[in-house]
Amino acid sequence: MSESTSISREDKLRHLVKSKGRKAVTALTAYDYAVARIIDEAGIDIILVGDSLGMMVFGHEDTTKVTVSMMKHHVAACRNGVARSILVADMPYRSYEDDQTAIATATELVSAGADAVKLEGGKAILSQINAILDKGIAVFGHIGMLPQQVVEEGGYKKKGKSDIEAANLLADAAELDKAGVSAIILENIVGNLAKEITEMTTAPTIGIGSGKSCDGQILVINDLLGSYPWFCPSFAKPKANFASDTTQAVRAFIDEVENLNRE
Ligand code: KIV
């Protein structure tokens, strides 16, 4: 188990908000102990146990089959590897339908080891966000393209192209900021709108597919490592070749074992 630093969770979260405009925020997903520990020790600011684990770990088509118990399992695994980063847990699909359910889910994820929880949506889930914050649990917002709504929306689409969509996203960001979230993920939002939101909020914005003007950037770890070769979003630039390196290593092992002199 990784030894935790003496900086409290509250101080880390305060420091994150204060870093806005001073230091770029870096964030990656992780789903298990080894990866969480490696990226924590490499210096990443935030580790998100994303519900993208539905696709990356379980091979599902989208995030909608992820449950609270699946999330707890992976949060607990990552917690053991994280000493200094902020560990954030996604609240899965339909686990925050009302205030009481939202509080129960957030409490379970924090008990499993999360420093903060993340929910998808703005004004529509403000009541749940406030209910969680009132319990002293830190919240990360997430607006723009919301993967948990992919089935309802019929696919993954860029957000903020029309005036009405842009106005709604600005209003969502303003409400989340006023509520006191620790950061806001901006997913797949047109670049100039992401910039406008970033200039407006006191909480740092962390972009994914939303241009370079956000306060920081987040990526699914598999897209950084090249470990999910069946799909990689166009904005992600893999910096390793995990899938092909693994294939090569496995073939070398097969070859070595098959050619062992067993006498
Ligand atoms: O589940 C996830 O991985 C996410 C991000 C990539 C933002 O929500």
Side-chain angles (χ1 to χ4, degrees):
M1 197 183 291
S2 208
E3 234 169 78
S4 76
T5 57
S6 53
I7 308 166
S8 72
R9 159 191 296 175
E10 291 71 24
D11 280 347
K12 286 183 197 176
L13 288 158
R14 259 193 298 273
H15 185 260
L16 170 67
V17 178
K18 278 200 199 144
S19 73
K20 184 170 174 104
R22 289 197 249 158
K23 180 205 169 286
V25 179
T26 59
L28 285 169
T29 66
Y31 316 105
D32 63 52
Y33 167 80
V35 171
R37 182 167 177 177
I38 291 168
I39 66 177
D40 180 67
E41 290 177 0
I44 201 80
D45 297 318
I46 295 161
I47 296 179
L48 170 70
V49 184
D51 59 357
S52 48
L53 70 81
M55 292 89 93
M56 298 303 144
V57 178
F58 287 87
H60 297 167
E61 258 184 35
D62 55 53
T63 61
T64 59
K65 291 193 198 70
V66 175
T67 63
V68 176
S69 78
M70 284 156 80
M71 289 303 303
K72 282 169 63 183
H73 193 74
H74 291 270
V75 168
C78 290
R79 177 75 274 168
N80 290 336
V82 176
R84 36 153 305 283
S85 313
I86 297 169
L87 185 64
V88 184
D90 255 337
M91 294 190 32
Y93 187 55
R94 296 210 164 136
S95 72
Y96 47 99
E97 300 277 89
D98 54 62
D99 293 3
Q100 287 319 309
T101 316
I103 292 170
T105 302
T107 307
E108 283 200 65
L109 293 171
V110 169
S111 305
D115 294 318
V117 295
K118 174 167 84 60
L119 295 74
E120 293 185 7
K123 293 181 294 295
I125 56 158
L126 202 59
S127 168
Q128 290 94 316
I129 289 176
N130 280 319
I132 297 169
L133 287 167
D134 283 349
K135 293 285 168 198
I137 297 174
V139 172
F140 278 46
H142 183 161
I143 59 172
M145 206 275 294
L146 305 179
Q148 291 176 5
Q149 285 177 18
V150 64
V151 179
E152 283 98 321
E153 292 201 353
Y156 298 106
K157 295 177 184 133
K158 195 89 181 165
K159 296 291 173 164
K161 285 185 177 168
S162 69
D163 289 351
I164 177 84
E165 218 170 64
N168 278 331
L169 285 167
L170 279 164
D172 282 341
E175 293 282 3
L176 292 175
D177 202 39
K178 201 165 103 198
V181 298
S182 302
I184 307 172
I185 307 290
L186 303 183
E187 179 156 3
N188 221 2
I189 290 179
V190 292
N192 55 356
L193 178 62
K195 184 170 189 281
E196 202 179 329
I197 293 172
T198 300
E199 284 164 358
M200 179 189 80
T201 56
T202 49
T205 59
I206 307 175
I208 174 158
S210 299
K212 57 183 171 54
S213 304
C214 300
D215 294 303
Q217 298 288 329
I218 182 164
L219 267 189
V220 167
I221 187 78
N222 305 69
D223 296 336
L224 180 75
L225 299 183
S227 60
Y228 194 86
W230 309 280
F231 175 74
C232 185
S234 55
F235 56 79
K237 295 177 186 65
K239 301 211 170 359
N241 299 303
F242 183 90
S244 51
D245 286 354
T246 302
T247 304
Q248 241 185 338
V250 171
R251 287 191 181 140
F253 176 69
I254 292 170
D255 191 54
E256 187 181 279
V257 173
E258 288 180 350
N259 290 297
L260 265 186
N261 183 351
R262 288 193 210 77
E263 272 168 35

